Amino acid sequence: CNPHYVMADPYRGGMQAVAEAYRNLSATGARPIAMTDNLNFGNPENPETMGSFVCAIEGMAQACKTLDFPVVSGNVSLYNETDGVAIPPTPVCGGVGLVQDVSDLSSLTAISPGDHLVVLGETMGAFGASLYAREYLRLEGAALGRPPEVHLEREKQHGRFVCEIISEGLVRAVHDVSEGGIACASADLALAHDLGCQIWQPQTAQHGQDAEASLLALFAEDQARYVLAVSPASLSSLQDKARAQNIPCAAYGVFQGAEIAFMSERNQTPISSIKLADLRTAYEGWLPDYMSSVNAD
């Protein structure tokens, strides 16, 4: 769950919490079949809190019905406050999926140098309530805007397609796109497989050829998307299969080297880059450093 989405729009945020759980399972090759939830909110005697609680549940219910992803258990935790200040509204979803044949998952192997970085799903450039808006632009409250739209039928179609291409061995690795967009999902894959990547500027339907805007779109949080690692031998077959089902599928880069580099698609000139070792230090060292500072105090 992204509590920032729920704060900005409880109904849409509730839908997104379910959709992301659905994507997480699909990215492993498992068909989502059921979920449990854990609804964490503040004092329900506060009308605003109660309204958020109700709307989030309604959004979650709509997502569960459309995705055929029933809630089979769960719990509710209310009155979560400190000195009268409530926690962010946080509906947590845990899902379970079914793999018909575990041998189908053998295709999810280590990424190899030269594998294509492919994005499945459409990038429009949704920045409302996004990580980029919060952390880089430092926006807060109403200025953050509404979270991205959740297209549930598209989530279902893309999730089933991902399970299908995994079972057919057309991909080496899959990661759902959520907080932080394509850039963060690609970084997760790079860290997990200890292999850098070059990421090209996407040409979005909204931003066209504008270089700066298209680069920023790498951090957009449009829903129903996945980042795939695909071998050169499988790329054409994958794109043909996606085209036949009218699913957007485009190469956004290549896995190679020891850094993550944002490239200009036109002339392949690095715009910005970070060494994988430095990224790993920042990513894995944050919590130990924070706990050390707390203990020192």
Side-chain angles (χ1 to χ4, degrees), residues 77-187:
S77 177
L78 301 174
Y79 295 95
N80 294 288
E81 296 186 345
T82 300
D83 296 329
V85 178
I87 65 168
T90 310
V92 178
C93 300
V96 61
L98 178 65
V99 177
Q100 295 287 353
D101 186 347
V102 293
S103 64
D104 289 342
L105 304 186
S106 62
S107 63
L108 295 179
T109 56
I111 300 174
S112 298
D115 283 350
H116 294 280
L117 189 159
V118 175
V119 176
L120 187 77
E122 187 173 19
T123 300
M124 296 293 294
F127 281 97
S130 67
L131 180 68
Y132 184 89
R134 300 193 315 270
E135 297 299 324
Y136 186 77
L137 299 181
R138 298 295 181 182
L139 299 179
E140 297 179 354
L144 275 172
R146 298 184 68 193
E149 291 186 60
V150 182
H151 302 281
L152 295 172
E153 291 295 343
R154 199 176 299 167
E155 291 281 3
K156 183 190 294 187
Q157 180 194 23
H158 294 185
R160 289 176 175 175
F161 182 81
V162 166
C163 289
E164 188 178 332
I165 59 177
I166 289 174
S167 68
E168 294 178 3
L170 291 177
V171 291
R172 293 190 192 272
V174 182
H175 197 297
D176 73 296
V177 177
S178 54
E179 196 170 30
I182 295 168
C184 288
S186 302

Side-chain angles (χ1 to χ4, degrees), residues 28-45:
T28 70
R31 178 173 63 86
I33 57 175
M35 59 165 275
T36 183
D37 61 27
N38 176 20
L39 307 179
N40 305 282
F41 287 78
N43 184 353
E45 298 173 49

Side-chain angles (χ1 to χ4, degrees), residues 47-287:
E48 184 176 348
T49 298
M50 190 61 187
S52 177
F53 179 66
V54 171
C55 288
I57 291 174
E58 291 175 344
M60 294 173 71
Q62 183 59 58
C64 288
K65 290 176 183 176
T66 304
L67 297 173
D68 192 21
F69 195 32
V71 177
V72 296
S73 66
N75 74 292
V76 176
S77 177
L78 301 174
Y79 295 95
N80 294 288
E81 296 186 345
T82 300
D83 296 329
V85 178
I87 65 168
T90 310
V92 178
C93 300
V96 61
L98 178 65
V99 177
Q100 295 287 353
D101 186 347
V102 293
S103 64
D104 289 342
L105 304 186
S106 62
S107 63
L108 295 179
T109 56
I111 300 174
S112 298
D115 283 350
H116 294 280
L117 189 159
V118 175
V119 176
L120 187 77
E122 187 173 19
T123 300
M124 296 293 294
F127 281 97
S130 67
L131 180 68
Y132 184 89
R134 300 193 315 270
E135 297 299 324
Y136 186 77
L137 299 181
R138 298 295 181 182
L139 299 179
E140 297 179 354
L144 275 172
R146 298 184 68 193
E149 291 186 60
V150 182
H151 302 281
L152 295 172
E153 291 295 343
R154 199 176 299 167
E155 291 281 3
K156 183 190 294 187
Q157 180 194 23
H158 294 185
R160 289 176 175 175
F161 182 81
V162 166
C163 289
E164 188 178 332
I165 59 177
I166 289 174
S167 68
E168 294 178 3
L170 291 177
V171 291
R172 293 190 192 272
V174 182
H175 197 297
D176 73 296
V177 177
S178 54
E179 196 170 30
I182 295 168
C184 288
S186 302
D188 281 343
L189 277 181
L191 288 171
H193 295 268
D194 199 28
L195 182 64
C197 62
Q198 295 179 355
I199 309 174
W200 307 328
Q201 293 181 20
Q203 298 302 318
T204 70
Q206 185 174 355
H207 298 127
Q209 299 296 318
D210 186 292
E212 182 178 358
S214 62
L215 181 63
L216 292 180
L218 291 171
F219 295 90
E221 296 182 7
D222 301 274
Q223 303 291 287
R225 295 185 300 160
Y226 298 81
V227 168
L228 318 172
V230 183
S231 71
S234 298
L235 181 62
S236 179
S237 296
L238 172 66
Q239 291 181 319
D240 288 345
K241 191 176 186 68
R243 191 178 302 112
Q245 298 188 35
N246 198 31
I247 298 176
C249 180
Y252 272 56
V254 62
F255 288 93
Q256 63 182 28
E259 64 179 14
I260 295 177
F262 298 105
M263 314 290 291
S264 167
E265 188 176 14
R266 192 175 305 169
N267 57 20
Q268 298 296 291
T269 300
I271 298 172
S272 180
S273 65
I274 181 172
K275 292 181 180 178
L276 204 59
D278 293 339
L279 183 63
R280 187 180 302 282
T281 297
Y283 181 66
E284 297 179 358
W286 180 87
L287 183 58

